[in-house]
Amino acid sequence: MIRAALILTLSSFSLLAADADAVARIHEAARVFDEVMGTPDKGVPQELLDKSYCVGIVPSVKKAGFIVGARYGKGVIQCRGKEGHGWTGPSTIRIEGGSFGLQIGATAIDLIFLIMNDRGVDKLIESKFTVGADATAAAGPVGRDAQAQTDAQMHAEILSYSRSRGLFAGLSLQGATLRADDADNRQIYGKNVKPAEILKGEIPAPDAAKDLLSTLSKFSSSRHP
């Protein structure tokens, strides 16, 4: 019964999200990232951002009312361009399920996550993967200095963060499922495209991504270390 209720709730979220404009969500992702990184004492450590291979931003992840821990959201992810230069265009993603323990009681959160190595990127361009089972993850440290990293954080393929009610903190995405949203990618690029093509830099970024590209470049080094 609980499983059926979860499916029904997430299906309702899917219908609501389908009505939202994918291009508008790109602009919202740029705004979220600009606000978070605009307060370096409370944002993603610069060192970690510069070392990241990809950055994901999911504005306003919703909580599934009566199902404790269940979440649903749609956002974008971008990776370093060829030879580490610049950023690729955005590929849209959906996040479903998972228990976001640090945000108990919050009805919506903004989610940011970093992909920290090649294996994480490989998992990312698959059609679907589950955090914790298919890719290791940890709550990311916050602030100017990344020295607070634990051993688990240093070896994680994904470091994740959330913002809710003004609080920005690391959180665990264990159990959450990430998958591409082909319909939204088609809306943004005007044709059928594969996430791998986007995230490998084989397809030019659309005009709609101009603000997001500018924001990522503003806060990160233009070349991967």
Side-chain angles (χ1 to χ4, degrees):
M1 180 177 293
I2 293 178
R3 179 181 174 82
L6 176 58
I7 293 173
L8 176 62
T9 303
L10 292 180
S11 297
S12 299
F13 280 145
S14 297
L15 292 174
L16 291 172
D19 292 335
D21 185 77
V23 173
R25 198 153 40 244
I26 295 177
H27 298 311
E28 181 68 4
R31 182 191 66 78
V32 167
F33 197 73
D34 186 69
E35 290 178 357
V36 167
M37 297 306 297
T39 54
D41 288 332
K42 299 179 180 179
V44 177
Q46 189 67 52
E47 178 185 344
L48 294 180
L49 178 59
D50 289 343
K51 288 182 177 179
S52 66
Y53 284 63
C54 307
V55 175
I57 308 166
V58 186
S60 193
V61 178
K62 304 294 191 220
K63 183 177 181 179
F66 55 89
I67 305 297
V68 177
R71 302 278 180 172
Y72 180 87
K74 301 178 79 172
V76 297
I77 188 156
Q78 293 179 255
C79 296
R80 303 280 179 179
K82 293 181 179 179
E83 298 182 357
H85 292 281
W87 294 90
T88 67
S91 181
T92 61
I93 55 171
R94 289 186 289 165
I95 183 169
E96 299 166 338
S99 180
F100 302 175
L102 293 184
Q103 300 296 340
I104 293 175
T107 57
I109 65 173
D110 297 320
L111 172 66
I112 294 175
F113 59 92
L114 309 179
I115 306 297
M116 301 304 296
N117 56 30
D118 282 324
R119 187 172 184 276
V121 176
D122 291 340
K123 289 296 181 182
L124 182 67
I125 62 178
E126 293 180 0
S127 60
K128 169 186 174 182
F129 75 90
T130 300
V131 179
D134 299 319
T136 59
V142 174
R144 293 179 182 272
D145 196 347
Q147 297 303 313
Q149 281 185 283
T150 66
D151 184 67
Q153 290 168 326
M154 292 176 64
H155 294 92
E157 289 154 1
I158 300 175
L159 294 177
S160 49
Y161 300 85
S162 69
R163 183 180 68 164
S164 175
R165 299 169 181 169
L167 173 65
F168 184 74
L171 89 165
S172 172
L173 285 181
Q174 297 287 47
T177 298
L178 294 173
R179 68 179 77 203
D181 192 306
D182 294 330
D184 278 1
N185 275 340
R186 185 164 55 249
Q187 181 180 349
I188 292 168
Y189 288 88
K191 60 181 180 180
N192 290 324
V193 291
K194 296 179 180 179
E197 295 174 323
I198 299 171
L199 299 178
K200 290 179 180 179
E202 297 172 0
I203 297 176
D207 290 340
K210 184 182 300 183
D211 288 346
L212 182 55
L213 285 167
S214 176
T215 302
L216 285 171
S217 298
K218 173 183 175 182
F219 292 108
S220 64
S221 63
S222 60
R223 181 184 178 101
H224 194 282

